[in-house]
């Protein structure tokens, strides 16, 4: 689609300039520049999945990767909270942009708060796992304090309760009597800190928006844009308009719809529909297999081999990565997290962990069979 592009989009004059493609009777992208850029990125993301899948076979490097995700996620969350606490008007305390740019909901390094939320939802489960690991092992107090702080600045309160109900009883059984009271006091302190954090960052505003969501859906621009995109589906066909071409294709369909949605639309607030428009039914099916297949492999690997063959770090990290991907799949129904490069990198990393977990049992099987052979040989 990219190499056999039919045209290239001229943004200055808002028109498609025809190209002399080398196989005219085959399909091709409507914009060579955007599709070529997306395919380069896509190749790197596929390489990331393969790299992490291989890297995850080493328990030592899997733990190092886990540490890096926790530290980076905590630092991004801390930056966002610091900006909010100091009243920053723009990322890194830069002067505010002109009002027509519409950058009013930034957080940390993200212009759009929805993307920031998607990123935090990717990293908080693994941050929680690091806290669990620190308190179930003979870790230094400094490490426990570090991962607890990282967890506090990235966590969501409701999911904290879910994790506490799942891992809490086992964690308390492992702790000596003197440390149980400390753990309970620490959990209460975390809850109080989250309440204070919610008040400082005005988390009640999204809750108020959810209460009136039923009244706003018919007039919400994102739903109107989705209706326009549905009207463009027949034109996308089996192969789509080309990777990364939504931003140049949508304006034409929007104007011709009779109910044009105001504003400039770089992404559709519905990732799956945008993917079908760009990649067609064939490419979308392959992406769906890569993503949801990775989720399925991760779940099956955990249920089959985790208890018997996996090390504790694997048993904690892998289901949390799967949980983060499942949350991302739900978020993509109403937003565009899969279109953001940094989020794509984390999704590719987690998919590499999920796909790679199907091979984690192999080394354990070989190790167990080898030890059994040695024992039998010794007895003989």
């Amino acid at each position: 689609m990219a190499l056999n592009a039919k045209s290239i989009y001229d943004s200055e004059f808002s028109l498609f300039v025809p190209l002399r493609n080398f196989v005219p009777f085959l399909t091709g992208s409507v914009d060579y520049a955007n599709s070529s850029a997306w395919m380069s990125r896509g190749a790197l993301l596929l390489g990331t999945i393969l790299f992490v899948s291989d890297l995850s076979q080493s328990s030592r490097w899997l733990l190092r990767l886990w540490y890096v995700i926790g530290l980076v996620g905590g630092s991004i969350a801390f930056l966002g909270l610091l900006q909010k606490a100091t009243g920053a008007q723009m990322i890194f305390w830069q002067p505010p942009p002109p009002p027509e740019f519409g950058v009013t909901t930034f957080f940390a390094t993200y212009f759009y708060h929805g993307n920031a939320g998607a990123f935090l939802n990717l990293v908080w489960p693994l941050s929680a796992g690091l806290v669990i690991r620190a308190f179930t092992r003979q870790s230094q107090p400094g490490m426990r304090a570090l991962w607890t702080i990282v967890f506090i600045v990235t966590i969501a309160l409701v999911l904290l309760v879910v994790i506490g109900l799942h891992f809490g009883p086992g964690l308390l059984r492992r702790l000596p009597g003197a440390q149980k009271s400390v753990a309970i006091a620490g959990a209460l302190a975390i809850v109080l800190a989250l309440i204070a954090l919610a008040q400082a960052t005005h988390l009640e505003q999204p809750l108020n928006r959810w209460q009136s969501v039923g009244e706003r859906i018919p007039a919400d621009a994102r739903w109107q844009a989705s209706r326009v995109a549905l009207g463009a589906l027949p034109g996308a066909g089996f192969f789509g308009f080309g990777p990364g071409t939504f931003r140049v294709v949508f304006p034409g369909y929007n104007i011709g719809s009779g109910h044009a949605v105001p504003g400039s639309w770089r992404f559709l607030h519905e990732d799956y529909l945008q993917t079908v428009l760009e990649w067609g039914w064939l490419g979308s099916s392959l992406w769906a297999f890569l993503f949801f297949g990775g989720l399925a492999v991760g779940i099956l690997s955990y249920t089959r081999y985790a208890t018997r063959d996996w090390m504790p770090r694997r048993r904690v990290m892998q289901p949390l990565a799967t949980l983060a991907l499942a949350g991302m799949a739900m978020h993509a129904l109403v937003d565009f997290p899969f279109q953001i490069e940094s989020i794509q990198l984390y999704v590719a990393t987690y998919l590499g962990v999920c796909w790679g977990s199907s091979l984690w049992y192999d080394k354990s099987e070989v190790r167990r069979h080898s030890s059994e052979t040695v024992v039998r040989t010794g007895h003989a």
Side-chain angles (χ1 to χ4, degrees):
M1 290 290 291
L3 295 177
N4 197 48
K6 303 288 187 180
S7 58
I8 188 169
Y9 184 72
D10 188 331
S11 58
E12 184 175 356
F13 295 98
S14 299
L15 54 84
F16 293 92
V17 180
L19 295 177
R20 294 182 58 184
N21 51 344
F22 59 92
V23 191
F25 59 88
L26 292 180
T27 186
S29 171
V30 299
D31 185 15
Y32 171 78
N34 277 323
S35 292
S36 298
W38 215 114
M39 290 307 298
S40 299
R41 189 202 316 171
L44 292 172
L45 291 172
L46 292 174
T48 299
I49 295 175
L50 293 173
F51 174 75
V52 174
S53 180
D54 183 65
L55 188 73
S56 68
Q57 306 308 309
S58 167
S59 60
R60 177 180 298 178
W61 278 103
L62 183 68
L63 182 60
R64 291 173 178 173
L65 179 65
W66 193 0
Y67 284 161
V68 169
I69 292 173
L71 289 172
V72 172
S75 65
I76 294 296
F78 179 75
L79 173 63
L81 294 175
L82 189 61
Q83 289 174 164
K84 293 298 182 183
T86 56
Q89 296 181 316
M90 188 54 186
I91 298 174
F92 296 123
W93 295 269
Q94 296 295 313
E100 59 267 21
F101 284 93
V103 183
T104 58
T105 58
F106 71 93
F107 183 86
T109 55
Y110 291 91
F111 289 103
Y112 175 47
H113 64 90
N115 294 331
F119 173 80
L120 294 178
N121 286 335
L122 275 176
V123 299
W124 80 256
L126 271 69
S127 300
L130 289 170
V131 176
I132 295 170
R133 187 174 186 276
F135 278 91
T136 53
R137 294 170 55 86
Q138 297 298 323
S139 302
Q140 295 295 327
M143 293 295 292
R144 294 182 177 182
L146 171 65
W147 297 126
T148 301
I149 292 172
V150 169
F151 180 52
I152 288 175
V153 298
T154 58
I155 189 64
L157 183 58
V158 175
L159 296 176
L160 171 63
V161 174
V162 174
I163 287 183
L165 292 176
H166 183 74
F167 291 101
L171 178 60
L172 288 175
R173 284 194 298 268
R174 288 172 176 264
L175 294 175
Q179 293 188 11
K180 287 182 180 179
S181 58
V182 177
I184 294 174
L188 292 175
I190 291 175
V191 171
L192 293 176
L194 287 172
I195 294 174
L197 180 63
Q199 292 178 345
T201 55
H202 302 288
L203 292 182
E204 75 280 357
Q205 295 177 1
L207 296 177
N208 294 334
R209 287 197 294 267
W210 274 108
Q211 292 175 357
S212 60
V213 69
E215 303 172 359
R216 296 186 299 105
I217 283 179
D220 195 315
R222 71 179 66 194
W223 307 114
Q224 298 176 21
S226 295
R227 285 197 291 267
V228 174
L230 284 172
L233 274 181
F238 192 65
F239 296 100
F241 293 109
T245 57
F246 171 81
R247 68 189 67 180
V248 300
V249 170
F250 182 78
Y253 282 94
N254 187 30
I255 295 173
S257 66
H259 302 282
V261 186
S264 177
W265 292 80
R266 187 179 181 186
F267 305 112
L268 185 67
H269 286 259
E270 217 288 9
D271 257 331
Y272 302 108
L273 183 53
Q274 179 174 338
T275 302
V276 175
L277 287 175
E278 294 183 347
W279 295 82
W281 297 108
L282 176 61
S284 300
S285 299
L286 295 175
W287 280 118
F289 172 77
L290 181 66
F291 183 85
F292 293 103
L295 277 177
V297 167
I299 294 171
L300 290 175
S301 299
Y302 182 82
T303 55
R304 289 180 180 178
Y305 310 117
T307 304
R308 185 184 62 205
D309 297 318
W310 288 2
M311 297 177 63
R313 66 186 62 172
R314 299 185 187 275
R315 288 199 296 269
V316 174
M317 180 185 182
Q318 197 264 11
L320 293 175
T322 305
L323 175 65
L325 289 176
M328 186 62 53
M330 295 177 60
H331 191 170
L333 289 169
V334 294
D335 240 324
F336 50 92
F338 287 134
Q339 309 302 325
I340 306 304
E341 288 88 342
S342 60
I343 296 176
Q344 289 172 347
L345 177 61
Y346 277 76
V347 169
T349 301
Y350 291 6
L351 285 175
V353 171
C354 289
W355 281 106
S357 66
S358 63
L359 301 175
W360 289 353
Y361 74 95
D362 285 347
K363 294 181 180 180
S364 301
E365 292 277 344
V366 171
R367 203 162 37 238
R368 184 168 60 252
H369 290 320
S370 300
S371 58
E372 290 175 355
T373 302
V374 171
V375 170
R376 285 197 297 268
T377 304
H379 285 306

